[in-house]
Amino acid sequence: MTETAVNLVDDRQVTVELLANPLNWRVRVVEEISVDTATTCMRRRSLQVAPLREHIGAEVPEGTTHALLALYVAPMPRGPLLDFDVKGPEGEGWVLPRLEIAERQALYLEKVATFCGQEVTPELHKLLSAVCGFTGELLTDINGLTLAEYLEAGLDRPVPRETLAKWEEIGEICRNALRPRLDIFRGYSAPENPVLVLPELFAAGTLSTDDEATEWLDQYRDLVMAMKREAKKAAPNAAGEFLDVLADYANNYDLMVAMRVPLDEPFLVKIAERRDVHLSTVRNRGTQELVIADAQTNHVTFKVTDPNVWIRDFRALQPGSNKYSYGAFQTREDPQNRAFYAHDVDRDYRIRLSFQLGLLRRLQLVPYLATLLLALLILALMIEQPTDLRSLALIVGPAALAASVLLGREPSTLGSRLRWVSSVILSATLLTLILVSVVLYVWHPGDDQTGGEPAPGPTVSSQPSVPARESARPTSAPKSIQPSVPTNG
């Protein structure tokens, strides 16, 4: 059969239709989190997709078997992608530009608002698109400034006090409506405070006056408040979904990838990326956030690759709290792997994995036993206080064992990181042993300055000691020697 394809990448409504009904075509997601270094982990995601012909919401020519379209692959945290890779059923795909993703997210929000009976003007659509695409680059450069200082830096001019007060009031109203629906506040949120996107709109020439900006902000506020009133009528409903998605776009975005896919058969989309891991200093505890409700079923595997590392504790919690998540059922547990399955309709959308890592007990026992040995040697030195070099060398000799333990290397940076506490304790104990030994050898009270044994005193005798060679000599030699002269008579 001849394969024919249609190009739907530029058709934004196809992507919007897929965003609006994700559970209809997203059958299963299998995610693997592999902690392989001390600071990062590799995350791999496999999305199983149902045949898309009836879900794309667009007419395709008869006989078309494939389509080139922009597919919503996964929700991602805002920020640059590291070691990212994506593969579709027909080869590699390419990620849409950030502004294009934001435009399609705004179209989705507009679709939901229209469904709830709210009109979205072209001006409001542009503001929604700017809010969805806001990255906060300017905020990172001038972090800690007030809103007035931020706007002055972004606009290159001060904002009139009366205008600034109106903008702050609009931001406060939107914040009260959206903050309760946000999992974690990351320090700023353009959906909560749309004033943050004004410098970008002025720089692009989309806005020209402060009064025009105020009018756009008023429309945004009115839309948020109307959706808030609608959400209270019968929860959950489309208005509540609008507010949840809008609040979530402050921290995350919908990753969209253009690829060639079949229309009448299921297929797989695989992505891989590297994310940061921050382990606590003493307890070696870290966290990872992930979504477990963006498909009909979600499977998650968490593992460590270093054979010398094991998982000491593992919990699935709600983001921003210590409450256990709902809807994730653990199916496998061993020292280096955890796996769970989520299929409940009412399960939490996003969870936080809290885990504690540690080295194998037999590996941790060696440095602590060496530390105990050195501590006992220090105690012996303090009690006995030997001062001769031979005794000190005999006692301090086992320090070579501690040095060999410190010189040992783990097969990964993760193993070395987990040895940090024991290595510091062992190093401190070894240094203490050496310092105590040096002090005892160089200085000790009651001894002479040389630090050796005191020299024996002179022997007292009643007779002076005389060398054997000099004992044969007369005690007093004659001054002159006269020859003997015989006398007559």
Side-chain angles (χ1 to χ4, degrees):
M1 181 179 177
T2 304
E3 293 184 356
T4 58
V6 59
N7 190 347
L8 299 176
V9 173
D10 296 331
D11 192 341
R12 293 171 175 171
Q13 293 301 325
V14 172
T15 308
V16 172
E17 193 67 26
L18 294 175
L19 279 174
N21 303 283
L23 299 185
N24 291 345
W25 56 275
R26 299 170 68 89
V27 180
R28 180 178 290 108
V29 168
V30 179
E31 187 161 0
E32 177 186 279
I33 303 174
S34 179
V35 183
D36 53 359
T37 72
T39 57
T40 62
C41 68
M42 180 59 72
R43 297 183 59 159
R44 298 177 177 87
R45 216 168 194 259
S46 177
L47 170 64
Q48 179 179 335
V49 182
L52 288 179
R53 184 180 295 272
E54 59 180 303
H55 302 294
I56 59 177
E59 294 289 338
V60 295
E62 185 177 353
T64 302
T65 59
H66 290 69
L68 188 64
L69 51 80
L71 190 69
Y72 159 53
V73 175
M76 301 286 285
R78 291 191 177 275
L81 298 173
L82 179 63
D83 291 346
F84 180 78
D85 183 42
V86 56
K87 292 183 179 179
E90 302 289 332
E92 296 183 354
W94 62 95
V95 180
L96 268 63
R98 175 181 61 86
L99 295 180
E100 182 62 29
I101 292 177
E103 176 65 24
R104 301 189 186 213
Q105 291 178 159
L107 286 173
Y108 165 66
L109 292 173
E110 181 178 345
K111 178 183 177 68
V112 178
T114 304
F115 178 81
C116 295
Q118 302 299 320
E119 180 184 0
V120 177
T121 64
E123 295 79 13
L124 180 55
H125 174 81
K126 293 179 181 179
L127 183 58
L128 281 174
S129 181
V131 167
C132 294
F134 183 72
T135 58
E137 290 139 343
L138 186 59
L139 282 173
T140 58
D141 296 334
I142 55 175
N143 191 21
L145 299 184
T146 63
L147 181 61
E149 294 170 335
Y150 165 78
L151 291 174
E152 183 175 354
L155 300 175
D156 291 330
R157 60 176 176 83
V159 179
R161 183 175 302 178
E162 182 179 352
T163 302
L164 181 62
K166 293 180 181 178
W167 293 355
E168 289 179 339
E169 181 183 0
I170 293 174
E172 185 67 25
I173 294 174
C174 295
R175 184 179 302 112
N176 293 334
L178 296 177
R179 180 65 63 85
R181 298 177 179 270
L182 189 65
D183 291 331
I184 300 176
F185 181 65
R186 304 292 186 185
Y188 67 88
S189 171
E192 291 185 8
N193 191 4
V195 182
L196 297 177
V197 306
L198 294 184
E200 295 183 6
L201 295 176
F202 274 100
T206 308
L207 287 174
S208 56
T209 64
D210 290 346
D211 292 338
E212 185 181 11
T214 303
E215 181 182 351
W216 288 25
L217 293 174
D218 285 339
Q219 293 184 33
Y220 182 88
R221 177 203 57 203
D222 294 342
L223 175 62
V224 171
M225 294 306 296
M227 301 303 282
K228 181 180 179 180
R229 291 189 296 269
E230 188 69 21
K232 293 180 179 179
K233 294 181 179 179
N237 55 17
E241 179 184 351
F242 176 93
L243 296 175
D244 290 339
V245 173
L246 181 59
D248 189 65
Y249 279 161
N251 300 329
N252 306 279
Y253 68 98
D254 297 323
L255 180 66
M256 301 177 189
V257 179
M259 63 179 65
R260 176 187 166 100
V261 300
L263 292 176
D264 300 305
E265 58 187 56
F267 59 89
L268 288 176
V269 178
K270 297 181 179 180
I271 64 172
E273 62 156 336
R274 187 168 290 278
R275 293 192 189 179
D276 294 337
V277 172
H278 302 284
L279 297 177
S280 59
T281 303
V282 178
R283 302 191 63 191
N284 297 318
R285 181 172 288 277
T287 60
Q288 283 290 299
E289 290 188 6
L290 69 158
V291 172
I292 62 168
D294 63 327
Q296 296 175 18
T297 60
N298 287 71
H299 304 251
V300 179
T301 302
F302 179 89
K303 67 179 183 178
V304 289
T305 58
D306 191 330
N308 295 331
V309 178
W310 64 299
I311 304 172
R312 299 180 59 183
D313 184 58
F314 184 83
R315 304 174 185 176
L317 307 174
Q318 296 178 357
S321 71
N322 291 325
K323 297 180 180 179
Y324 286 98
S325 63
Y326 176 76
F329 304 97
Q330 186 164 291
T331 59
R332 178 175 177 178
E333 177 180 355
D334 60 59
Q336 290 192 305
N337 295 273
R338 295 290 191 277
F340 59 89
Y341 174 64
H343 63 86
D344 195 289
V345 177
D346 296 328
R347 63 187 183 272
D348 291 333
Y349 178 75
R350 182 176 284 107
I351 66 173
R352 176 172 60 93
L353 298 182
S354 177
F355 53 90
Q356 185 179 11
L357 306 180
L359 287 176
L360 298 179
R361 288 190 176 93
R362 60 180 177 83
L363 297 178
Q364 282 288 66
L365 187 62
V366 173
Y368 286 119
L369 285 179
T371 301
L372 179 60
L373 174 61
L374 296 183
L376 293 176
L377 291 176
I378 294 173
L379 182 61
L381 286 176
M382 299 299 293
I383 294 176
E384 296 297 331
Q385 297 187 1
T387 57
D388 61 293
L389 186 59
R390 181 177 301 177
S391 300
L392 289 173
L394 182 63
I395 294 177
V396 181
L401 171 62
S404 65
V405 173
L406 292 175
L407 291 175
R409 290 293 180 265
E410 297 295 331
S412 68
T413 58
L414 177 61
S416 300
R417 168 63 179 79
L418 298 180
R419 283 184 52 183
W420 186 83
V421 175
S422 60
S423 297
V424 169
I425 295 175
L426 181 57
S427 301
T429 309
L430 176 60
L431 181 61
T432 303
L433 176 64
I434 295 175
L435 290 177
V436 171
S437 303
V438 170
V439 169
L440 288 176
Y441 179 71
V442 174
W443 177 87
H444 45 277
D447 294 341
D448 59 4
Q449 295 179 354
T450 62
E453 294 286 346
T459 304
V460 180
S461 173
S462 60
Q463 297 294 334
S465 174
V466 181
R469 180 175 294 180
E470 295 185 359
S471 63
R473 297 180 181 179
T475 56
S476 60
K479 295 182 179 180
S480 63
I481 299 177
Q482 297 294 331
S484 173
V485 179
T487 58
N488 293 326

